[in-house]
Amino acid sequence: MFTSAPSTQRPCVRLVGAGPGDPDLLTLKALKALQAATVVLVDDLVSDAIVQLIPAHVRVMRVGKRGGCQSTAQAFIHKLMVQEAQAGEQVVRLKGGDPFLFGRGGEEVEFLRSQGLEVEVINGITAGLAGVTSLGVALTHREHAHGVVFVTGHAKPGDQGPDWVALAHTAHQARLTLVIYMGVKLAEQIQSHLLQGLPANTPVAIVQHVSLPQQRQVITRLDA
């Protein structure tokens, strides 16, 4: 039985990280939340293998969010979570990776709390960590990398996004690993800016479909 629910009797929504896709990387706490749910709102990036772990009697609602594709409006997802929770359902919002790393978890927590709901966040393994691990590489190393920066390469409309040149200089001087999410669309622009602050021979790994059987990766250098 799932026993880590908040003590309050207010309606509760759980934001659950599904990890990068491999069901073996799902946390026990996340699995228990799925088993206790009556309604699960599934993000588009959640793998089919994870969805299959949801009990058959649970109502599954697909609310896709994927950059560059037709997506369910965030405002609609907010409304749906509140509606289902206030109706007495045990609501899980199942997200790829971790809810608080480029998963709009912060926005959803703020909205749900503003509506008087309790929120529990259950972390998942983020793709940036799992992807590098799958290559046998460490994000930090005492001799090479003193820290990590997780950054998105996909800015919202009207937002210029990160200052890549400044970020490159900082990463070089402080010896930081850069983990860039959703950077394919602007890859050439990001590359040219990073080359203004990082050496041309800086190692680069590009990983797609992290942890899944169809995972693909390329190991190269920044000027390639």
Side-chain angles (χ1 to χ4, degrees):
M1 181 176 180
F2 187 66
T3 59
S4 63
S7 58
T8 177
Q9 296 301 307
R10 291 186 295 168
C12 177
V13 174
R14 292 186 175 90
L15 306 185
V16 177
D22 182 349
D24 286 343
L25 295 180
L26 192 69
T27 67
L28 286 175
K29 192 169 186 179
L31 180 61
K32 291 175 181 178
L34 292 178
Q35 293 171 340
T38 58
V39 174
V40 179
L41 281 68
V42 179
D43 185 81
D44 202 34
L45 293 176
V46 176
S47 71
D48 291 339
I50 298 291
V51 174
Q52 290 173 6
L53 296 176
I54 301 172
H57 67 273
V58 176
R59 184 154 46 99
V60 175
M61 308 176 76
R62 300 275 184 171
V63 286
K65 299 295 295 181
R66 186 187 290 266
C69 302
Q70 185 175 0
S71 301
T72 305
Q74 188 65 41
F76 178 78
I77 296 173
H78 287 171
K79 181 179 179 180
L80 194 56
M81 288 190 291
V82 172
Q83 175 182 301
E84 295 291 342
Q86 290 179 340
E89 302 289 351
Q90 299 297 312
V91 180
V92 164
R93 172 79 168 103
L94 187 61
K95 297 171 167 290
D98 184 274
F100 278 175
L101 265 176
F102 311 119
R104 305 198 185 195
E107 300 173 37
E108 294 180 353
V109 167
E110 291 175 0
F111 180 81
L112 292 168
R113 287 177 176 167
S114 75
Q115 300 302 302
L117 274 63
E118 185 71 21
V119 185
E120 181 180 14
V121 178
I122 299 175
N123 294 118
I125 296 176
T126 183
L129 173 58
V132 174
T133 300
S134 73
L135 304 177
V137 178
L139 284 176
T140 63
H141 190 291
R142 287 193 300 171
E143 300 297 328
H144 307 293
H146 295 166
V148 185
V149 176
F150 293 100
V151 60
T152 176
H154 177 71
K156 67 180 182 180
D159 188 343
Q160 293 184 347
D163 184 334
W164 294 107
V165 176
L167 191 57
H169 282 293
T170 300
H172 184 50
Q173 293 169 3
R175 296 165 73 179
L176 305 176
T177 301
L178 297 181
V179 180
I180 303 173
Y181 290 71
M182 301 170 285
V184 172
K185 186 176 180 180
L186 298 177
E188 291 187 11
Q189 177 182 325
I190 293 171
Q191 178 192 36
S192 65
H193 289 164
L194 291 180
L195 281 168
Q196 297 179 50
L198 284 167
N201 65 350
T202 299
V204 173
I206 304 169
V207 187
Q208 183 184 39
H209 301 306
V210 172
S211 83
L212 298 174
Q214 67 268 35
Q215 175 175 317
R216 299 192 300 169
Q217 61 273 328
V218 173
I219 310 298
T220 182
R221 44 186 273 169
L222 187 57
D223 65 346

